[in-house]
Amino acid sequence: MSVDGWNTVLVLGGIRSGKSEFAESLVADAPVVRYVATAPEGDPEDTEWATRLATHRARRPGSWTTEETAGEPRRLADVLASAEPNETLLVDDLGGWVTVLLDPEHQPADDVATIAELAEAIRACTARVVLVSPEVGLSLVPTTPLGRAFADALGAANRAVADACDAVVLVLAGQPAWLKPAAVATSAPSTPVAATGRHAVASELGTPGPATPSLGDTEPTPEVQLPEVLTHTPPVAPNQEPGNPWAAPTMALPMVATGLVIQPGMELPMPDEYAGPQAVDRLASLDVPGAGLGVLDRVVGFAAATQGTSTPSAWGSVRVLLLNGDHAGGASAGTVAGESARRAAQARAGRGALARLAAEAGASLQVVDTPAAAPMETQPALAGEQVESALRYGWRLAEQAADAGVQLLVLGACGAGTEAAAAAVLAATAGAEPPSVLGRVITDSGEIDDAAWMVRCAAVRDALHRTRRSPRSAKDVLAELGGGDVAVATGVLLGATARRVPVLLDGPVGLAAGMISRDLAGQARHWCLLADHGQHPAVRLAADVLGLTPLLDLRLDLGEGANALVALPMLRSVLALAAALPVHPSLGGDADPDGTDEPEPDYADDEPAYTGPDYTDPEFVEPEPAGPGPTRTGGDEQPASGWRAG
């Protein structure tokens, strides 16, 4: 059973009822879909049937894969049995499957046993499966033996599959009516096909909303309300009249149910491998007076690859996710109690470096409270259920941003002990020595606290010793060492990758999440950009492992997330410049930049003829100046004009 209430769904409907479109909408947001086609090709002379098949194929996205079982109907059960938990299958439809099952080529056969095998395979399937089938129970009894055999077999198949599935929906005239679970039939309103999808499925199935949700609960909750999205405005200058105060939340999107099982080996999309190099090559042809953008050409290449075009545009809608979660024990040595909560409240109120920089950049801000981590030196930082919940929570945050049209996510954190947690993750995933990746502890007064640094190193050392025989899978590392903020950040990276939203990383939590995400979906790191390392040794090492080269070396330390916002205006300017500049005229660009198509004036024809003395004549002698002038003392003196007398 998946997180939003169902793992397998049977979609029933009559001819042209919209059942296939509804089924496709249920899996539209899945990263990868395997389409299982059951119908035979049919008579080559039957153009109408061929047109129907072509219409179905044209609706499938290019990222979907297709598998056909028309040659052997019993193979459908094998396909379902071999599906992995992270897969999504769409079987369309059982009517075609029954047609092949009754074909004389496959007889004699025990149809009842084959249908029972299919139902059992559906019950045991760990993947997410949507099956489509025609509903034959509302029509007249066929008049031919073959027609009656088909209706009987399909009716039996529908009953068996409906009993095996978690949910059943009947589509009539494009309107879905949920038949299973039974409580939904009377409590949930119908939803038009145009508005369906995984979100509609959650509401249709009556997924309960939380009363007092908390990611820190030991009991996993099916849904947790996402935090509000804040949009602040820049503060007025001191010499200006005060305007509106820092804005209240401008939007709070509804809960999103992903229905995704996050586990290793997920196949998520990659950036366009051709658009990036094409964009960088195009920069060499632009009409610029100097050598170009230097190392910032990587920004253009990254934006081009993630946007899928060789002329990328500057990121317009940007959202900052500030993760707030403390790490207990020695990881937070040297920090003031309650400091992270104060920073989070400050950001919510629109004060502090992060909120003000976000306001200046026109970025929305979302402060996310994550589960507090237990002392990792003595016990696991999180329970396994909390890790699963945090990963899904982060994925939903990315989905929420993508649904709101966000073009770039900036990941930041303000919890106590984050650097030690990131160092522990790096030590477990990259073999780093804790002292080499733990930065110096700086107190509020600007002093270096070596004693606190040693306590942090000891905490990481003891945590690694405690877990020396524990598995090093992604979820195990998050549970034992990473904590809630790193787990949520990992979910954000995975969800952003699935929705093709680039992420600007800044600080140890984001890079630690990048190290974890590579074991869940290796594609995630290709959607990440690192603006500056911020003098963090953990960030330097993780960036090297992930293949992320910092664009700048400003050595800022304004807090995780704030450093990236300082660089954001420059990155936007680079993209805007690269998109707006024309090609140099010598390389085939427009030689008339003003666009008037008027010939340039010939100023030489308008100049009056020169009638003065000819200074090029070797016989020319400059006359003495009239009136007062410099006194000559000898023949070697130069005249005032600078020319020597002849």
Side-chain angles (χ1 to χ4, degrees):
M1 185 73 66
S2 189
V3 292
D4 58 341
W6 60 274
N7 196 68
T8 52
V9 175
L10 173 63
V11 180
L12 298 170
I15 298 173
R16 299 297 190 187
S17 62
K19 59 183 183 298
S20 292
E21 291 92 330
F22 178 81
E24 291 165 6
S25 73
L26 296 181
V27 299
D29 292 340
V32 178
V33 175
R34 181 155 42 130
Y35 186 96
V36 183
T38 62
E41 288 294 334
D43 187 353
E45 302 296 328
D46 190 348
T47 57
E48 191 274 337
W49 179 252
T51 302
R52 283 174 177 254
L53 294 181
T55 302
H56 275 259
R57 294 189 183 104
R59 284 203 309 263
R60 302 172 203 164
S63 60
W64 290 13
T65 60
T66 302
E67 186 164 350
E68 298 185 359
T69 62
E72 177 52 59
R74 289 181 176 81
R75 200 167 70 85
L76 179 57
D78 296 334
V79 170
L80 296 175
S82 62
E84 298 294 333
N86 61 315
E87 286 190 283
T88 299
L89 276 65
L90 174 57
V91 181
D92 194 359
D93 66 3
L94 294 183
W97 179 76
V98 170
T99 300
V100 177
L101 184 63
L102 297 179
D103 191 287
E105 294 184 3
H106 302 287
Q107 298 296 327
D110 189 345
D111 303 338
V112 176
T114 305
I115 293 173
E117 290 175 4
L118 175 62
E120 189 58 35
I122 293 173
R123 288 190 181 90
C125 184
T126 58
R128 201 165 167 83
V129 183
V130 177
L131 302 103
V132 182
S133 184
E135 175 51 56
V136 296
L138 303 178
S139 63
L140 298 174
V141 177
T143 59
T144 64
L146 183 59
R148 289 192 293 271
F150 173 79
D152 291 345
L154 183 56
N158 285 347
R159 291 180 60 183
V161 171
D163 183 66
C165 285
D166 300 325
V168 181
V169 58
L170 176 64
V171 180
L172 300 172
Q175 307 301 310
W178 290 90
L179 309 179
K180 181 183 178 183
V184 178
T186 58
S187 63
S190 62
T191 304
V193 170
T196 56
R198 291 186 319 204
H199 306 176
V201 171
S203 60
E204 288 285 353
L205 291 177
T207 304
T212 55
S214 173
L215 273 176
D217 297 339
T218 56
E219 299 260 341
T221 56
E223 292 296 342
V224 179
Q225 182 68 45
L226 297 180
E228 58 192 11
V229 179
L230 306 173
T231 302
H232 298 301
T233 55
V236 296
N239 59 345
Q240 292 179 346
E241 293 295 328
N244 294 330
W246 290 85
T250 59
M251 58 185 297
L253 298 183
M255 291 185 296
V256 180
T258 65
L260 180 71
V261 178
I262 299 177
Q263 66 177 27
M266 292 189 297
E267 290 294 331
L268 301 182
M270 283 282 290
D272 192 318
E273 61 179 321
Y274 301 108
Q278 290 172 356
V280 174
D281 291 342
R282 178 179 171 273
L283 294 178
S285 65
L286 297 184
D287 188 6
V288 293
L293 298 174
V295 297
L296 293 180
D297 61 357
R298 295 200 300 268
V299 180
V300 180
F302 174 81
T306 54
Q307 295 179 24
T309 174
S310 59
T311 55
S313 58
W315 299 297
S317 178
V318 178
R319 178 170 297 178
V320 183
L321 298 178
L322 180 63
L323 309 182
N324 174 35
D326 289 343
H327 297 256
S332 59
T335 58
V336 179
E339 177 66 10
S340 60
R342 186 182 74 85
R343 294 291 182 189
Q346 191 180 57
R348 288 190 178 97
R351 300 188 302 271
L354 182 76
R356 292 182 180 272
L357 287 169
E360 293 290 347
S364 60
L365 173 61
Q366 200 168 14
V367 182
V368 182
D369 292 324
T370 65
M376 60 180 171
E377 60 267 36
T378 59
Q379 64 188 92
L382 289 181
E385 296 84 357
Q386 290 179 294
V387 171
E388 295 286 352
S389 179
L391 286 171
R392 291 195 298 267
Y393 190 70
W395 185 293
R396 289 171 54 214
L397 288 169
E399 275 198 332
Q400 182 194 45
D403 291 340
V406 170
Q407 300 169 346
L408 178 71
L409 283 172
V410 179
L411 200 54
C414 64
T418 56
E419 293 187 12
V425 170
L426 281 174
T429 57
E433 289 292 333
S436 66
V437 290
L438 266 172
R440 307 295 290 272
V441 179
I442 309 297
T443 65
D444 292 339
S445 59
E447 298 177 350
I448 296 177
D449 190 344
D450 286 334
W453 178 82
M454 288 187 286
V455 173
R456 294 186 184 185
C457 288
V460 176
R461 177 203 62 200
D462 293 345
L464 294 173
H465 179 76
R466 179 182 61 80
T467 61
R468 63 191 182 279
R469 293 187 178 89
S470 300
R472 285 293 188 251
S473 67
K475 293 182 180 180
D476 290 319
V477 172
L478 288 175
E480 296 288 351
L481 307 170
D485 48 4
V486 179
V488 172
T490 303
V492 169
L493 294 185
L494 296 173
T497 300
R499 297 298 297 272
R500 302 177 182 271
V501 178
V503 181
L504 188 58
L505 298 180
D506 178 20
V509 169
L511 272 296
M515 295 293 293
I516 297 292
S517 66
R518 67 174 184 160
D519 293 332
L520 295 170
Q523 303 85 356
R525 67 183 182 90
H526 297 282
W527 293 87
C528 297
L529 185 67
L530 180 61
D532 195 351
H533 53 69
Q535 303 187 81
H536 289 289
V539 173
R540 290 177 183 270
L541 175 62
D544 184 60
V545 174
L546 295 173
L548 301 176
T549 303
L551 298 170
L552 307 172
D553 188 11
L554 301 179
R555 302 184 182 182
L556 296 174
D557 193 8
L558 299 173
E560 187 163 351
N563 304 320
L565 289 175
V566 171
L568 181 59
M570 178 187 297
L571 307 184
R572 279 172 160 171
S573 298
V574 166
L575 294 176
L577 190 66
L581 285 178
V583 176
H584 196 279
S586 65
L587 299 175
D590 188 1
D592 182 37
D594 59 5
T596 60
D597 292 330
E598 294 290 337
E600 294 293 330
D602 187 358
Y603 296 104
D605 295 341
D606 298 334
E607 294 178 356
Y610 178 72
T611 58
D614 184 5
Y615 293 107
T616 62
D617 185 355
E619 301 297 327
F620 170 74
V621 177
E622 183 176 359
E624 291 290 336
T631 303
R632 291 181 181 272
T633 58
D636 292 335
E637 280 293 329
Q638 293 287 346
S641 63
W643 292 88
R644 183 181 297 275

